[in-house]
Amino acid sequence: MAQARPSSIGRLVNDVEEGVIALLFAAMTLVSFSQVVARYVFNAGFVWALELTVYLFAWLVLFGMSYGIKVHAHLGIDALVKLFSSAVQRIFGLLVVAAGLIYGTIMLIGSWDYVSKLFQIGIESEDLPIPQWVPMAILPIGVALLLFRLAQAGVRIWRGEQRSLLADEAQHTIEDFLALDDREPLAPRLPAGTGEPRR
């Protein structure tokens, strides 16, 4: 199936999403590594490091759920659905998108209310000197990105550019295998003139 080129808004969201995910992963790794070095080399540590790492990981996961829809990384069991024709598979795909949009909308409303209350209360994080609503702001942001990606996927399914939200692991494995240029041989090579495999 042909892949449609993303719109300018889609490209902007792609770039922001990928950049933020890379930044979050790098920051989480750096904080964790520095904490290990501080503890085991200098017998000291940062009180706020664990809380920051938890927040960074939460941001990574919540950004990642929408990114997973974009790159078809979400796994599921679709053996039954694949028994049906392409048109029926698309109907199931649209039903899944509709359920995701309903669930996402409920989550967006709830997370917005939660972050708004945290903002009004004005409490700080336990160890970090920042308001609690700042790290929790990823809840509505992540869900809004999820809704955006679900809407994109719904449009692609409606147009017939894809059939479902799930990753096709078997197809991806075959494509990856065929795309390899320098594959290692499956059997060991025999040196010339001998019947013994080279060790």
Side-chain angles (χ1 to χ4, degrees), residues 1-181:
M1 292 183 200
Q3 284 287 346
R5 295 183 65 186
S7 65
S8 58
I9 294 174
R11 282 193 301 272
L12 176 66
V13 173
N14 289 352
D15 293 343
V16 169
E17 217 170 33
E18 290 173 1
V20 170
I21 287 171
L23 182 66
L24 289 169
F25 190 73
M28 190 174 67
T29 304
L30 185 63
V31 170
S32 298
F33 176 74
S34 64
Q35 184 71 347
V36 169
V37 171
R39 288 258 172 116
Y40 289 99
V41 176
F42 301 107
N43 201 21
F46 308 111
V47 176
W48 45 264
L50 178 60
E51 187 177 26
L52 179 60
T53 304
V54 169
Y55 286 147
L56 290 171
F57 186 70
W59 278 63
L60 186 67
V61 168
L62 290 166
F63 262 103
M65 67 183 182
S66 64
Y67 187 75
I69 290 176
K70 175 193 145 192
V71 298
H72 304 283
H74 290 292
L75 301 178
I77 299 172
D78 58 354
L80 179 64
V81 174
K82 287 195 172 195
L83 296 175
F84 295 98
S85 67
S86 177
V88 175
Q89 288 181 39
R90 286 174 51 210
I91 291 170
F92 279 120
L94 289 171
L95 288 173
V96 169
V97 167
L101 288 171
I102 292 168
Y103 175 77
T105 303
I106 293 168
M107 288 293 294
L108 181 63
I109 293 168
S111 61
W112 181 263
D113 288 344
Y114 177 64
V115 173
S116 298
K117 285 179 182 166
L118 286 176
F119 180 77
Q120 290 168 5
I121 295 170
I123 59 173
E124 283 195 349
S125 294
E126 190 173 330
D127 294 323
L128 293 167
I130 57 173
Q132 184 70 37
W133 68 267
V134 172
M136 294 299 172
I138 188 56
L139 292 170
I141 293 169
V143 175
L145 281 170
L146 178 68
L147 289 171
F148 176 73
R149 291 299 183 194
L150 283 169
Q152 280 185 324
V155 169
R156 285 194 301 269
I157 292 171
W158 181 263
R159 291 178 179 167
E161 296 166 6
Q162 73 183 63
R163 293 180 194 162
S164 75
L165 292 177
L166 298 178
D168 190 340
E169 281 298 302
Q171 183 65 31
H172 289 166
T173 303
I174 292 168
E175 289 171 0
D176 290 345
F177 181 74
L178 294 176
L180 293 174
D181 292 329

